[in-house]
Amino acid sequence: MKSLCNLPVRIAGLGAYVPDKVLDNSMLEQMVDTTDEWIVRRTGIKERRIAAPRQATSDLAAAAGRKALKAAGLAARDVDAVILCTCTPDHVFPATACIVQTAIGAVNAFGYDLQAACSGFLFGLMQGAALIDSGMAENVLVIGAETLSRFTDWEDRSSCILFGDGAGAALLQKESAPGGGEVVFCEMGGDAARADILEVPAGGSRLVASEETVRQRRHYMQLQGREVFKLAVGKLGELVDTLEEKTGVDMKDISLIIPHQSNERIIRSVCDRAGLPQERAYMNIERMGNTSAASIPIAMEQAVGEGKLKRGDIALLLAFGGGLTWGATLLRY
Ligand code: COA
């Protein structure tokens, strides 16, 4: 296998946290004009988790981050950088990463937020690995965390069925053992030409918050699901082609595909188009819904817990989301 990135960086510990509150499809039937049967058939989702009123994104992120540190056996004061991938930060500023740093006691770290919507965790993984490979950091905590429920229009049946809250974290370190953990390859991209199909239009400097923006529900996610669906399947298929061309990897050497959990049908279509065996695609969308930047690290943590991802395995991570943004990462776990 030819490695383009070839960064000797390993995931030393994974952690995940999801809120206790479960919102299942039968509860959504009471809120909007939908049915459990429609949601399961069109998305694969049966339930999702919703943050408690007192919980913000930093609370979920800190809980996942602490678990990743524990799994890695590392003290918080030894963390050099915290990269918090989120599109639902606590505030416009300060950065949610700084709040997380203080909450977990990472007093010697610097931290920043990374906004690439559903592709955020893959962008963060790439940056964390590059920081370590360059020698600028030894221990980097990359967290994907979201409270999408706060930006969901609970009156819009075409979008509110999709999203959930949660956080996942990975502690990255340099790999010294030959044949150990490695970021084998990564390819990222973005293009705002079709940004309008998935956005929260108001609340930034383009469209500041006003009584009118609130009345028009412009602070909630606006989604053209069918358009996103088509573009996601096409772009993720292209990414797999690029990966095959540039690395020469044989798809049968990939132990597990961990795609962003956007829609079961998107995942199955990408697998079919790319000739990836569907049974090797890890899915927890049935229980979690789409948790944006948190979905891949939560899925990784669960896959490891279930024995589906083991040390030495080659995993393919795939993401597509708002921006629009996309990414593919091939790593040896
Ligand atoms: N319950 C029942 N009917 C619903 C519904 C719901 N929750 N939501 C939409 N419908 C209806 C529509 O009104 C439409 O009715 P019509 O044919 O009478 O106009 C019909 O179902 C089909 O709608 P459509 O939007 O074409 O459905 P779809 O098969 O594309 O599924 C999504 C909709 C949103 C599930 C799907 O497009 C999707 O998952 N897209 C990507 C999600 C995404 O953007 N995620 C974030 C970035 S990763």
Side-chain angles (χ1 to χ4, degrees), residues 15-19 49-52 54-67 84 88 90 96 100 143-150 164-169 294 298:
Y17 171 82
V18 293
R49 299 300 180 103
I50 304 294
R54 65 183 162 76
Q55 286 179 313
T57 295
S58 63
D59 299 307
L60 278 50
R66 283 188 200 101
K67 288 184 180 182
L84 197 283
T88 54
D90 287 14
T96 305
V100 172
I143 309 176
E146 305 281 10
T147 45
L148 291 162
S149 62
R150 304 279 155 75
D165 300 334
I298 293 174

Side-chain angles (χ1 to χ4, degrees), residues 32-35 38-39 42-43 118 156-159 161-163 197-198 221 223-229 232 260-263 265-266 290 320-322:
V32 288
D33 181 15
T34 192
T35 61
W38 191 96
I39 301 171
R42 298 290 180 120
T43 70
C118 304
D156 175 12
R157 70 173 183 171
S158 63
S159 63
I161 55 162
L162 295 168
F163 301 103
I197 63 174
L198 180 52
M221 252 182 292
L223 166 73
Q224 293 177 39
R226 206 180 303 185
E227 287 302 303
V228 176
F229 192 109
H260 165 52
Q261 308 288 309
S262 51
N263 182 318
R265 288 189 298 133
I266 292 181
N290 177 348
F320 182 91

Side-chain angles (χ1 to χ4, degrees), residues 31 38-39 48 56 61 64 78 84 87 91 130 143 160 205 213 222 224 226 230 258 278 295 321:
M31 295 160 64
W38 191 96
I39 301 171
R48 64 293 283 148
D78 293 328
L84 197 283
C87 59
H91 313 281
I143 309 176
C160 75
S205 62
T213 58
Q222 324 271 312
Q224 293 177 39
R226 206 180 303 185
K230 279 190 292 193
I258 305 186
Q278 289 201 6
S295 90

